[in-house]
Amino acid sequence: MRFYKSSSVKNKVTAIQFPSVISKGCGACYKDAFMFTANKADLTAQQVYFAIFAELPHWVKGLLTLRNKVVSLFGFLATDNNMGSSLTSMKTGESAGFLRYQLVSDEQVVSTSEEPNMAIWLTVKRVSQSQFIVATEVELRTLKGRVYMAIIKPFHRFIAPFCIRYALKMNRL
């Protein structure tokens, strides 16, 4: 079942080996990375981050809201689902929902979230004029964190590349 019509989008979102230049080197971790080529030329990492995460599909926002309600019962941080408010507010140290920007440049955006159970790093890195990597790294700090990630992992592996393809399909990239 498709959630959007097929299109002439020539780009594939490809799962790749996690780049060592992005890795935080955490102990018990979950890592994934996806590479794609943008349809638009000369986008910055900031523009790509915003195009993917500021306008998530409505059903993904709904799942995040449900996730927040459930995980708050188990002591996890449950905050706003907004992962990117505006391009002008993307500055190191500023927040967008549950994420805080740690690095913001034309070449790379790194946002993080930390809580007792886990720490998350979300990275968008430009690797060429129109090729980008979107990577997630999660440090699992507690048994609760490991159980949570075991449950979420199949959803994340589907939703992460879907959101990139969705941004491509909507001509935001």
Side-chain angles (χ1 to χ4, degrees):
M1 178 167 122
R2 290 189 173 217
F3 292 99
Y4 58 88
K5 291 182 181 180
S6 62
S7 73
S8 60
V9 174
K10 62 184 180 285
N11 302 315
K12 289 186 178 177
V13 177
T14 307
I16 62 169
Q17 184 174 358
F18 198 86
S20 61
V21 295
I22 293 176
S23 180
K24 303 298 176 236
C26 60
C29 277
Y30 169 79
K31 299 178 184 182
D32 66 20
F34 300 94
M35 183 179 281
F36 67 95
T37 302
N39 294 322
K40 297 179 179 181
D42 299 321
L43 292 174
T44 66
Q46 293 166 287
Q47 291 168 318
V48 170
Y49 183 101
F50 187 77
I52 296 169
F53 299 111
E55 297 184 47
L56 295 171
H58 292 293
W59 66 269
V60 172
K61 289 181 182 180
L63 285 176
L64 287 171
T65 299
L66 176 62
R67 170 226 170 257
N68 284 343
K69 289 178 182 176
V70 172
V71 299
S72 66
L73 300 172
F74 297 97
F76 285 83
L77 184 64
T79 62
D80 183 7
N81 293 337
N82 180 14
M83 295 172 64
S85 51
S86 74
L87 272 172
T88 57
S89 68
M90 288 183 73
K91 296 181 176 117
T92 300
E94 294 296 318
S95 293
F98 68 98
L99 296 167
R100 179 174 300 280
Y101 298 115
Q102 296 297 322
L103 172 67
V104 178
S105 74
D106 289 348
E107 300 302 316
Q108 187 171 347
V109 174
V110 178
S111 58
T112 63
S113 177
E114 292 199 45
E115 62 155 49
N117 295 297
M118 62 180 56
I120 302 166
W121 293 270
L122 178 60
T123 302
V124 173
K125 183 168 181 58
R126 182 166 62 184
V127 293
S128 71
Q129 185 176 9
S130 60
Q131 199 168 41
F132 294 86
I133 294 172
V134 176
T136 306
E137 187 168 7
V138 182
E139 179 184 17
L140 306 169
R141 297 176 170 172
T142 64
L143 177 60
K144 276 195 228 179
R146 289 188 290 279
V147 169
Y148 166 80
M149 198 64 221
I151 294 167
I152 291 299
K153 189 180 345 181
F155 296 99
H156 177 81
R157 286 190 173 157
F158 172 77
I159 291 171
F162 179 90
C163 290
I164 298 167
R165 284 192 298 271
Y166 182 77
L168 287 163
K169 167 74 175 156
M170 298 283 97
N171 274 336
R172 294 195 301 259
L173 298 174

